[in-house]
Amino acid sequence: VQLQASGGGLVQAGGSLRLSCAASGRTSDSPVMGWFRRAPGKEREFVAAINWLGSSTYYADSVKGRFTTSRGNSKNTVYLQMNTLKPEDTAVYYCAASPILTRQRTTYNYWGQGTQVTVSS
């Protein structure tokens, strides 16, 4: 499975960004898509995840109510809509694929290259 994330950038606090992740290859092996982020000096942390049908989602408490993950019509594209962004959301954001819906980073066996999100105060 190959994953390509895009959509990062620089935004002011309170603004919005939408990240995209395009999956290709044997996506049936790892149909769940997750989003993780790594801020400077911190460990990579879970942000959100969505199952293949788009019917079930998980969110980290820190983003619940502000971020929404969804699937496109083709199911191989996943989005992360980020609203009311805060400076503490600044990080490199990664999409990843997993065989099961989980918050556990170690379960995700395919990773995209990451896209930088910077939120200025």
Side-chain angles (χ1 to χ4, degrees):
V1 177
Q2 294 79 46
L3 303 174
Q4 181 72 38
S6 61
L10 173 64
V11 64
Q12 288 188 332
S16 299
L17 278 176
R18 188 175 81 158
L19 305 183
S20 300
C21 180
S24 59
R26 293 177 61 91
T27 55
S28 59
D29 292 348
S30 294
V32 169
M33 295 295 291
W35 293 94
F36 291 78
R37 67 186 182 186
R38 183 169 63 193
K42 294 187 177 181
E43 295 290 320
R44 192 174 301 194
E45 65 174 359
F46 171 79
V47 175
I50 186 167
N51 66 350
W52 173 253
L53 292 177
S55 58
S56 186
T57 53
Y58 288 170
Y59 293 97
D61 289 343
S62 59
V63 306
K64 200 172 294 183
R66 299 188 298 123
F67 291 12
T68 303
T69 188
S70 61
R71 283 194 183 265
N73 291 335
S74 73
K75 295 291 190 287
N76 284 332
T77 301
V78 175
Y79 303 100
L80 183 67
Q81 178 67 42
M82 306 184 294
N83 298 328
T84 319
L85 282 160
K86 304 175 181 179
E88 51 264 44
D89 294 318
T90 295
V92 177
Y93 283 71
Y94 301 87
C95 58
S98 165
I100 61 171
L101 186 62
T102 178
R103 294 176 174 85
Q104 295 298 320
R105 182 182 62 189
T106 54
T107 307
Y108 289 80
N109 46 12
Y110 299 99
W111 291 83
Q113 84 288 3
T115 184
Q116 176 71 45
V117 172
T118 303
V119 184
S120 63
S121 58

